[in-house]
Amino acid sequence: METIRLTMAQALVKFLDNQYISFDGEEQKFIKGFFTIFGHGNVLGLGQALEQDKGDLIVHQGRNEQGMVHAAIGYAKQNHRKQIYACTSSVGPGAANMITGAATATANRIPVLLFPGDTYAARQPDPVLQQVEQFHDLTLTTNDAYKAVSKYWDRINRPEQIMFSMINAMRILTDPVETGAVTIALPQDVQGEAYDYPVSFFKKRVHRIERKIPTDAMIDDAVKVIKNKKKPFIICGGGVRYSEAANTLKEFAEKFDIPFGETQAGKSAITWEHRLNMGGIGTTGNLASNVLAKEADVIIGIGTRYTDFTTASKWLFQNPQVDFVNINVASFDAYKLDGIKVEADAKVALEILADRLEKEDYESAYTDEIDNIKDRWNNEVDRLFNIKYKEDFVPEVRGHLDDKIDEYKEVLESSLTQTRVLGMLDSLLDDSSIIVGASGSLPGDLQRVWRPKEQNTYHMEYGYSCMGYEVNAALGVKLAQPDREVYAMVGDGSYMMLHSELVTSIQEGAKINILLFDNMEFGCINNLQMGHGMGSFGTEMRHRNPKTGLLDDKLVKMDFAMNAASYGCKTYSVRTEEELINAVQDAKKQEVSTLIDIKVLPKTMTDGYESWWRVGNAEVAEKDSIMNATKELKDKINEARKY
Ligand SMILES: Cc1ncc(C[n+]2csc(CCOP(=O)(O)OP(=O)(O)O)c2C)c(N)n1
Ligand SMILES: O=C1C[C@@H](O)[C@H](O)[C@@H](O)C1=O
Ligand SMILES: [Mg+2]
């Protein structure tokens, strides 16, 4: 057998550079490159290997390990999982920092490949710097904490183990059902250990992403249910995008006159103005989708995980006759809501189902309901897009901080409302722009009112809703689609939590734009607590008050434009409509990353539409308002499906 003597890390890099995928007959390289933060746990092993021969892989220098994993997720998600990045960290804290990223990837079913450095397999120098040391189990290290959030986990204690381990890693990463974070812990001594690797290990490998075909029995079951239904409703989930099934779905919906709602991951598979596109569904859904879903007698869920936000905590579907037909590659998801299981690729399943329903002469029985409700919703969006501050202003989310709005207006020196800003951005951004979001009040607003004018221009991480994803993932999205303007839509809280890879974007000359909505609060959480009978507690950005000992003094002012300018970004402070127009137009002309610090009044985001979200309210409390909210909660729980 022909062999080549390499260190384990050198072998790993050489292997990764030779992995390809094939999807619908098209072949492409699978691993684009590495995000790295080097420390003693990886620099002399994996770092050395990358310096010596990285092949065609590109190597980036991250700033925060979680941030760089978010960039990798953004890249893979925007590429519909067809190309990914690997990330490597040092041992201990660097490794721990990537865990949140691993969880974000796994929750969203997005492939990322993580190589945290690990403590010595030899154990001679133990305890090494950054080793936790568990007295009861010497095999435990920080990296064991990844197990709960990884789809595949291994530790390479001997250099030859890398071969079997990596082939398995590829199996998981390229499998639409299994994919998520793959974590391979690399003890720092083993990274540099040499072995005579068979040359065959480094041959070009093409991993086929197969389209799972439904059985006849699955389709029979689905047809039997759908053919007698009058008010079908489709949920377009992320699986539609990953399967490249959008056009097939469009034809399917048109053929049988079936309206569809969009999950956060499915939004922008089909553009907003399509007659049957009812827009966002669920807790943060809109009037059109939610009203139709509530009355539907069959829900055809395509590539959806049926999260609580999609089903409004299983409360949304109120028609007593409603059945569920679940088209999903993952049997785990196909089994949800006790539905009819079509365990298959979305595109293939829709094609076959369409043929069969056509033979049954199937058509929905909608008359003018679809157009009427969509018109009503469009009028509502127009209203939201035009809400302006005026005398005796009552914000959209009312009854919470109504009497403090003027204080905010004074300190922010702005009276812009969030929905008005979104309305202006809707017309100011180019149609091809991609917006990126994840947490706070913006995902709800965007799922409701954002109008994608081109396919795949809406990029929302709402599986983990991880604060800090927005800016960092925007870099990954930009690397995936360098010809487009990419906008991170982020709240003040989330920006402060993590925006480390903004600096990497400057270093790489990969321009991203940040649209920062500063309302001086954890706005959506303030809405949540006050909407459930609590006071405002620990969610407004206020100084500690020496008199009360509480965080209820003056508002804490931030200049985010100044912050980003210090990194080399072109920045803008926006307090008026005119400033917003000028800033967005000027930002488009820039070559460096930009940040637009938009001061918006709190409570001016959108509110709910025919929706609900189950939360855990206190069953005993001093405040009557809390007890009332808990009672309301229980009433709603009684209306919801039990499983
Ligand atoms: C990493 C992480 N920590 C905590 C949360 C819980 N959380 C969700 S939104 C939010 C506040 C967001 O505030 P901001 O970014 O200012 O957005 P706003 O709601 O004001 O629009 C918090 C704390 C989260 N989603 N992610
Ligand atoms: O707790 C949360 C509430 C949601 O409104 C928000 O969008 C999300 O980020 C979150 O974590
Ligand atoms: Mg905020």
Side-chain angles (χ1 to χ4, degrees):
M1 185 200 310
E2 197 186 344
T3 59
I4 173 169
R5 192 159 180 79
L6 296 170
T7 68
M8 180 267 265
Q10 291 160 1
L12 174 61
V13 172
K14 200 172 174 60
F15 172 86
L16 293 177
D17 194 30
N18 280 297
Q19 305 308 305
Y20 291 75
I21 56 134
S22 144
F23 182 68
D24 285 352
E26 269 184 44
E27 200 176 287
Q28 76 174 88
K29 213 158 193 290
F30 187 51
I31 317 266
K32 176 73 178 171
F34 263 89
F35 277 96
T36 63
I37 293 188
F38 292 127
H40 67 95
N42 62 344
V43 70
L44 303 176
L46 193 45
Q48 185 281 331
L50 286 166
E51 183 200 37
Q52 179 172 296
D53 185 6
K54 59 181 176 40
D56 288 333
L57 302 173
I58 180 161
V59 179
H60 302 286
Q61 182 187 8
R63 294 295 176 294
N64 169 293
E65 291 86 356
Q66 181 184 326
M68 74 185 183
V69 180
H70 284 165
I73 297 169
Y75 185 86
K77 184 172 158 79
Q78 195 61 29
N79 273 311
H80 292 173
R81 313 196 290 209
K82 312 294 182 319
Q83 194 171 50
I84 70 165
Y85 268 97
C87 299
T88 178
S89 75
S90 190
V91 63
N97 273 355
M98 288 206 295
I99 294 173
T100 308
T104 308
T106 295
N108 286 281
R109 317 262 171 94
I110 299 294
V112 288
L113 180 53
L114 308 177
F115 295 108
D118 212 330
T119 56
Y120 284 79
R123 300 210 185 139
Q124 178 274 330
D126 285 11
V128 292
L129 180 69
Q130 301 172 330
Q131 180 168 350
V132 173
E133 282 200 298
Q134 288 286 9
F135 302 168
H136 66 286
D137 184 346
L138 295 189
T139 69
L140 281 183
T141 76
T142 297
N143 292 334
D144 287 271
Y146 278 94
K147 286 181 183 172
V149 294
S150 298
K151 297 296 283 194
Y152 176 77
W153 185 98
D154 201 0
R155 175 179 284 130
I156 306 299
N157 284 311
R158 297 173 57 91
E160 60 268 42
Q161 287 174 350
I162 198 76
M163 293 181 284
F164 191 63
S165 188
M166 286 317 298
I167 288 171
N168 262 293
M170 289 303 134
R171 173 177 67 81
I172 299 295
L173 291 164
T174 59
D175 180 342
V177 178
E178 291 295 329
T179 198
V182 164
T183 302
I184 313 287
L186 301 179
Q188 54 179 303
D189 48 349
V190 185
Q191 289 175 44
E193 283 175 15
Y195 182 78
D196 294 311
Y197 288 93
V199 169
S200 59
F201 177 58
F202 305 107
K203 67 172 193 243
K204 173 176 171 180
R205 275 194 175 69
V206 184
H207 308 268
R208 260 198 313 275
I209 300 183
E210 304 277 12
R211 291 190 179 274
K212 205 189 258 187
I213 296 169
T215 63
D216 290 345
M218 289 173 186
I219 296 291
D220 286 349
D221 286 349
V223 171
K224 210 184 295 167
V225 168
I226 298 171
K227 73 178 187 189
N228 296 315
K229 299 291 190 179
K230 297 187 165 23
K231 298 271 178 83
F233 189 82
I234 292 170
I235 299 178
C236 168
V240 172
R241 289 175 69 179
Y242 304 139
S243 152
E244 318 290 350
N247 292 338
T248 312
L249 170 58
K250 190 157 53 170
E251 283 163 27
F252 183 92
E254 285 166 359
K255 195 172 277 173
F256 306 111
D257 200 31
I258 307 181
F260 59 92
E262 305 164 309
T263 70
Q264 290 280 18
K267 195 171 171 84
S268 84
I270 298 168
T271 52
W272 82 280
E273 81 293 344
H274 190 281
R275 184 186 149 255
L276 296 166
N277 189 353
M278 299 294 114
I281 186 171
T283 302
T284 46
N286 69 38
L287 186 73
S289 263
N290 285 351
V291 164
L292 292 184
K294 202 169 272 183
E295 291 163 2
D297 53 10
V298 62
I299 299 290
I300 307 173
I302 309 173
T304 171
R305 295 164 53 229
Y306 284 120
T307 69
D308 61 345
F309 267 76
T310 295
T311 66
S313 303
K314 302 197 179 81
W315 170 87
L316 186 55
F317 315 109
Q318 292 285 341
N319 185 330
Q321 312 302 326
V322 69
D323 285 309
F324 295 84
V325 173
N326 302 334
I327 300 176
N328 208 300
V329 271
S331 63
F332 187 81
D333 296 314
Y335 266 74
K336 287 177 179 169
L337 292 161
D338 227 354
I340 302 294
K341 297 164 270 297
V342 181
E343 198 188 313
D345 167 74
K347 185 165 188 281
V348 176
L350 282 172
E351 283 164 0
I352 299 175
L353 192 57
D355 280 352
R356 289 287 308 279
L357 287 173
E358 219 172 357
K359 288 193 184 114
E360 300 281 343
D361 274 337
Y362 180 71
E363 201 179 340
S364 77
Y366 288 105
T367 51
D368 53 6
E369 302 94 314
I370 299 173
D371 296 331
N372 285 348
I373 196 76
K374 192 156 176 174
D375 277 354
R376 265 180 72 195
W377 174 242
N378 284 342
N379 291 338
E380 174 64 0
V381 175
D382 291 343
R383 182 189 72 81
L384 291 165
F385 279 177
N386 284 293
I387 295 178
K388 297 187 186 190
Y389 179 88
K390 53 181 191 296
E391 220 178 303
D392 297 326
F393 177 71
V394 182
E396 193 63 8
V397 180
R398 62 201 67 198
H400 296 175
L401 299 177
D402 296 3
D403 53 349
K404 290 186 184 163
I405 295 292
D406 284 341
E407 178 196 358
Y408 275 95
K409 180 174 163 278
E410 231 166 78
V411 179
L412 287 164
E413 298 170 70
S414 165
S415 55
L416 288 171
T417 68
Q418 182 156 311
T419 56
R420 173 71 184 151
V421 169
L422 289 174
M424 291 179 67
L425 292 172
D426 173 71
S427 43
L428 284 169
L429 301 195
D430 297 340
D431 292 354
S432 61
S433 307
I434 300 168
I435 62 159
V436 183
S439 67
S441 67
L442 281 164
D445 279 9
L446 294 167
Q447 195 195 3
R448 289 186 186 109
V449 306
W450 195 251
R451 294 169 158 172
K453 296 167 194 81
E454 287 191 15
Q455 285 187 319
N456 303 321
T457 52
Y458 183 87
H459 180 119
M460 186 65 65
E461 184 283 287
Y462 215 61
Y464 215 49
S465 186
C466 189
M467 288 169 79
Y469 179 84
E470 300 90 339
V471 174
N472 304 301
L475 170 63
V477 173
K478 183 68 183 181
L479 294 175
Q481 299 210 261
D483 300 336
R484 298 196 180 209
E485 289 286 357
V486 176
Y487 294 87
M489 298 251 203
V490 66
D492 50 315
S494 190
Y495 178 80
M496 278 188 273
M497 189 163 288
L498 190 65
H499 59 262
S500 51
E501 306 322 304
L502 176 56
V503 177
T504 313
S505 84
I506 298 279
Q507 177 182 40
E508 292 287 350
K511 177 195 174 190
I512 58 172
N513 306 285
I514 300 172
L515 296 166
L516 192 155
F517 291 66
D518 181 12
N519 56 12
M520 303 183 107
E521 56 160 4
F522 289 161
C524 65
I525 308 298
N526 186 279
N527 290 353
L528 182 64
Q529 64 186 181
M530 299 195 80
H532 287 81
M534 280 180 68
S536 176
F537 182 70
T539 51
E540 292 177 77
M541 309 294 173
R542 289 184 180 275
H543 290 279
R544 185 159 306 279
N545 185 341
K547 288 191 199 119
T548 62
L550 300 173
L551 295 173
D552 61 3
D553 209 341
K554 291 202 172 67
L555 289 158
V556 181
K557 270 177 101 161
M558 290 284 157
D559 188 337
F560 295 108
M562 188 188 276
N563 170 268
S566 75
Y567 305 141
C569 297
K570 173 78 181 166
T571 64
Y572 312 83
S573 295
V574 165
R575 292 183 166 82
T576 63
E577 292 190 9
E578 200 188 351
E579 283 172 353
L580 182 63
I581 295 166
N582 291 341
V584 173
Q585 282 170 352
D586 194 69
K588 287 187 201 173
K589 296 182 199 142
Q590 302 302 319
E591 298 208 335
V592 288
S593 293
T594 70
L595 181 142
I596 307 182
D597 181 8
I598 310 166
K599 305 297 185 191
V600 291
L601 293 174
K603 304 289 170 187
T604 58
M605 60 286 277
T606 62
D607 208 347
Y609 292 87
E610 301 285 324
S611 65
W612 179 59
W613 189 32
R614 181 174 177 169
V615 287
N617 231 40
E619 283 195 316
V620 284
E622 286 170 5
K623 287 187 177 166
D624 285 346
S625 51
I626 295 185
M627 296 306 290
N628 292 339
T630 302
K631 184 178 172 316
E632 270 175 42
L633 192 74
K634 289 195 171 166
D635 292 345
K636 285 281 199 197
I637 292 172
N638 284 336
E639 290 170 15
R641 302 174 74 82
K642 300 296 169 251
Y643 63 98

